[in-house]
Amino acid sequence: MQIAIRREPIEGERRVAATPATVATYVREGYQVVVESDAGAASGYTDPAYADAGATIVDTVDLAAADVFAHVRPLDPATIAALKPGAVTVGFAAPAGELEAVAALADRGVTAFALELVPRISRAQSMDALTSQALIAGYRCVLEAATRFPRFLPLYMTAAGTIPPAKVLVLGAGVAGLQAIATAKRLGAKVSAYDVRSASADEVRSMGGTFIHLDLDENADAAGGYAKELAADRAARQRELLTPHVQAADIIITTAAIPGRPAPRLITADMLSGMTPGSVIVDLAAESGGNVEGAVAGVDTSVAVDGGAITLVGMKDPASTMAFDASRLLAQNIAQLIGLMTVDGALTPDFDDEVVAGACLTHGGAVRHEPTAQAVAERNGAA
């Protein structure tokens, strides 16, 4: 069976779905691997390295010949149309926001595995690409903030005087938020954090942060370690209670997300007015609507406050900015999932396996992920 890897066609995407190390794994498992020339160039993996690992380097991947197609970003309609019926795809699919592509995958008879759907259970940790990429995103957010912040992050005691540590506030204590806390602590900042999930307090403290308790009287824990959306009155109360913490912070990192929904609005424009000039806010959720009012993905926005301005940074594809390690982790996630389904050199999905069944988006001409299937049906009905 042939596994195909190509350059990601989306502008700015530097990651690649396989590295020479995972290519070598596929070859040992009995696959033929075809890699498009320069597929890994942007992330630091060269054609000779892929060839040494056993891949065949081609100018253009023939998708119609691929039995398995590994990718990073969700597939576009033209790519899906080029795949042969019965082909298998493995990569991010963004099913909640790419309903047209999901319908096209089903109509084409493609068996698609979405990395977002991998069950968050211990047995599937090595396949959890959301976690591996969030780890990188949380780290990168702090670096982006530090390069824009006009002061030191750590405490410095000098003969000329004492420089106090920067106060960093992290909103959202999932994987990205916890990594942001740990990174800011390593840089010497004084870090506090907040999350609506009750289980987060111990995790924040384990990273060296101070957990902020808000009296919301609502349990926002949801399945899989995610947060559920707060009711409108509770969300308003949350913003009210967060305001003094926001205005006291020098750097704010926001990472809150709800799967399949727009990012929750944690900070409004009014809440920014009392911040110190020169402060920086990095919104990791900018691409899904933003936790901060006014955040634009890929754009730095100057927001006027009393005495000056603060900088609002809308992050866009942060994992791609650290493409070498992001690709290394992502490629391993994909390889582990493919390996789980490999029997005697062929990809043979066992849908009795909860990981395989949970990660499957489309198969046999149908959308297997029930929430997405309902959304596709509603979309088709509205059309």
Side-chain angles (χ1 to χ4, degrees), residues 148-245:
R148 292 166 172 82
F149 187 56
R151 289 171 37 200
F152 289 121
L153 264 67
L155 167 71
Y156 278 111
M157 301 180 69
T158 76
T162 298
I163 298 173
K167 291 172 285 188
V168 174
L169 172 63
V170 178
L171 300 181
V175 174
L178 292 173
Q179 183 59 29
I181 293 167
T183 303
K185 284 294 292 183
R186 291 188 196 106
L187 292 176
K190 181 179 180 181
V191 185
S192 58
Y194 169 74
D195 194 290
V196 293
R197 294 170 300 128
S198 58
S200 297
D202 289 341
E203 295 172 341
V204 167
R205 285 190 283 267
S206 73
M207 293 292 111
T210 300
F211 189 77
I212 297 171
H213 291 275
L214 302 183
D215 185 18
L216 285 179
D217 250 358
E218 182 170 346
N219 184 358
D221 293 276
Y226 292 107
K228 68 181 181 181
E229 191 168 14
L230 293 176
D233 60 334
R234 294 293 85 190
R237 176 62 175 160
Q238 178 189 64
R239 289 190 289 269
E240 178 185 347
L241 294 172
L242 277 176
T243 296
H245 299 283

Side-chain angles (χ1 to χ4, degrees), residues 148 252 278-282 299-303 309-313:
R148 292 166 172 82
I252 301 175
S279 298
V280 178
I281 301 177
V282 179
V299 175
D300 284 16
T301 304
S302 180
V303 179
I310 64 173
T311 301
L312 174 53
V313 182

